[in-house]
Amino acid sequence: MSTLVYLEHHEGELQKGALGVLSKAAQLGDADVAGVVVGSGVRELAADAGKFGAAKVFVADDPSLDAPLPQPRVDVLAALVGEHGYDTVLFHASVLSADIAAALAARLEAGLNWDLVDIEGTGDGLTGKRPALGDSVLVDVGWKSAPRLAIFRSGTFEPKETGGPAEVVDVSAQLEEHSTAATMVERAHEESSGPALEDAEVIVAGGRGLGGPENFTLVEELAKALGGAVGATRAVVDAGWYPYAHQIGQTGKTVSPKLYIAVGISGAIQHKVGMQSSSTIVAINKDPNAPIFEFSDLGVVGDLHQVVPKLTELVKQRRGA
Ligand SMILES: Cc1cc2nc3c(=O)[nH]c(=O)nc-3n(C[C@H](O)[C@H](O)[C@H](O)COP(=O)(O)OP(=O)(O)OC[C@H]3O[C@@H](n4cnc5c(N)ncnc54)[C@H](O)[C@@H]3O)c2cc1C
């Protein structure tokens, strides 16, 4: 087996999700695990990937690759697969990686399994695990031919430092004419403070029980006091109360912080699947029969408007002391 992992980077850092997939690839026992970094001014990121299990990291470093557009990246990956015969190409879930994986599958006429939450070696092949039926069951999925392409659900694997520096191999980007047709017009960054949802050890998430977008400050203040990030349910995202980037669940992000505080959240299955692997779950809900209490470690039955400000105040006092 030979595995190539796409290592997405932003603002000078390899993405945690991609490093998690790389660590998992290394654990599969495949000696030939390589990463690939594509961009401009990204060469120094490559060696770092060795720590997470890459024996080799290919780097396509060129000013023409600066914009995070998929097609030039597909050219680089397709050339590597063609030249080195990688039989498995793995991606973590992100908008860019999903675009690249889909286009690479079309280019190579390869099978792509997506939304996987695990993968294991079976004989001389691989079997992926994919949640189905509202995440209530896991199904085994496979590939009929190589190369096998897969996208893993975000937050599935933690990066594990197991190795040393990787051999860095420069590759030149031979771009197809159609791959340069798109240009990036503008890049905008959402201003945010505190840790990213995927990395946060503490998440305070708000639901429709907040009653309105203005009450999200209750959640934000508690998250700030705990040094955590803010999450949201789809109900409040769909209502426009909070941005989609904060949505947790089946159609949002999967998180596994040490502490997850659910404020005014009923605990629908589609929300549960995105946060159920949190170490400790605390729910604040006025309905004692809310489903969230069935999978919470600690439940507070009460009006969030009374409970949350007091809790925030207490946390501030304790932390200040
Ligand atoms: C295909 C599909 C995908 C989906 N994907 C997602 C997803 O990714 N993420 C997600 O979250 N949802 C998802 N959903 C939606 C999901 O089914 C639920 O509708 C949603 O999670 C409910 O959000 P909520 O808990 O904020 O709202 P509600 O279910 O309305 O719950 C609000 C809760 O707040 C409590 N409450 C009200 N007032 C107070 C108060 N003053 N104090 C304390 N508690 C109070 C109520 O008792 C209630 O339990 C999906 C649905 C479908 C069909």
Side-chain angles (χ1 to χ4, degrees):
M1 257 179 5
S2 54
T3 306
L4 184 65
V5 179
Y6 176 66
L7 300 174
E8 188 171 330
H9 59 88
H10 286 293
E11 298 179 347
E13 274 185 30
L14 294 175
Q15 296 296 282
K16 189 180 166 199
L19 294 176
V21 172
L22 179 59
S23 302
K24 178 65 189 182
Q27 285 162 28
L28 288 171
D30 175 6
D32 188 7
V33 176
V36 52
V37 183
V38 186
S40 174
V42 292
R43 198 172 190 282
E44 63 190 41
L45 296 180
D48 262 5
K51 283 191 260 173
F52 301 93
K56 195 186 279 180
V57 180
F58 297 100
V59 185
D61 194 337
D62 192 282
S64 66
L65 299 167
D66 185 41
L69 293 167
Q71 286 301 334
R73 283 154 178 77
V74 174
D75 292 339
V76 172
L77 268 73
L80 285 174
V81 172
E83 200 174 314
H84 300 273
Y86 285 104
D87 55 40
T88 307
V89 189
L90 306 179
F91 299 83
H92 79 289
S94 76
V95 173
L96 177 61
S97 288
D99 263 358
I100 299 168
L104 186 66
R107 181 88 62 94
L108 301 176
E109 296 191 359
L112 167 64
N113 274 307
W114 59 281
D115 200 28
L116 300 190
V117 294
D118 204 359
I119 190 165
E120 59 189 28
T122 40
D124 58 354
L126 287 169
T127 301
K129 303 272 178 199
R130 188 179 187 282
L133 300 176
D135 285 6
S136 58
V137 293
L138 279 182
V139 292
D140 287 348
V141 292
W143 295 260
K144 285 183 174 168
S145 61
R148 318 169 184 99
L149 272 51
I151 307 177
F152 291 91
R153 194 179 268 196
S154 69
T156 296
F157 305 119
E158 274 297 307
K160 288 203 177 82
E161 294 198 22
T162 50
E167 179 196 350
V168 177
V169 181
D170 292 297
V171 291
S172 62
Q174 307 290 335
L175 304 186
E176 302 277 345
E177 200 184 330
H178 69 259
S179 300
T180 54
T183 53
M184 181 154 283
V185 180
E186 190 188 353
R187 258 188 257 190
H189 290 276
E190 193 185 349
E191 295 299 327
S192 63
S193 57
L197 257 189
E198 295 89 335
D199 303 334
E201 296 203 334
V202 177
I203 291 176
V204 184
R208 194 150 40 191
L210 285 167
E214 65 284 0
N215 293 327
F216 249 94
T217 50
L218 294 172
V219 171
E220 288 168 341
E221 279 167 19
L222 179 55
K224 193 172 167 202
L226 289 163
V230 174
T233 64
R234 177 165 163 175
V236 298
V237 169
D238 284 353
W241 295 5
Y242 223 67
Y244 170 69
H246 294 260
Q247 184 179 315
I248 291 167
Q250 186 185 330
T251 43
K253 290 184 173 143
T254 304
V255 295
S256 50
K258 288 187 180 154
L259 174 63
Y260 190 93
I261 305 182
V263 179
I265 292 176
S266 60
I269 178 71
Q270 296 90 353
H271 186 75
K272 182 184 173 189
V273 294
M275 44 67 81
Q276 62 189 346
S277 57
S278 307
S279 306
T280 302
I281 297 171
V282 177
I284 302 167
N285 196 306
K286 69 177 184 185
D287 175 6
N289 296 316
I292 189 109
F293 290 130
E294 289 165 21
F295 54 93
S296 298
D297 299 285
L298 179 72
V300 181
V301 180
D303 186 339
L304 64 89
H305 299 280
Q306 291 172 9
V307 177
V308 177
K310 284 185 186 153
L311 181 57
T312 306
E313 204 42 52
L314 202 61
V315 171
K316 281 185 186 164
Q317 278 173 19
R318 292 271 174 100
R319 290 210 139 191

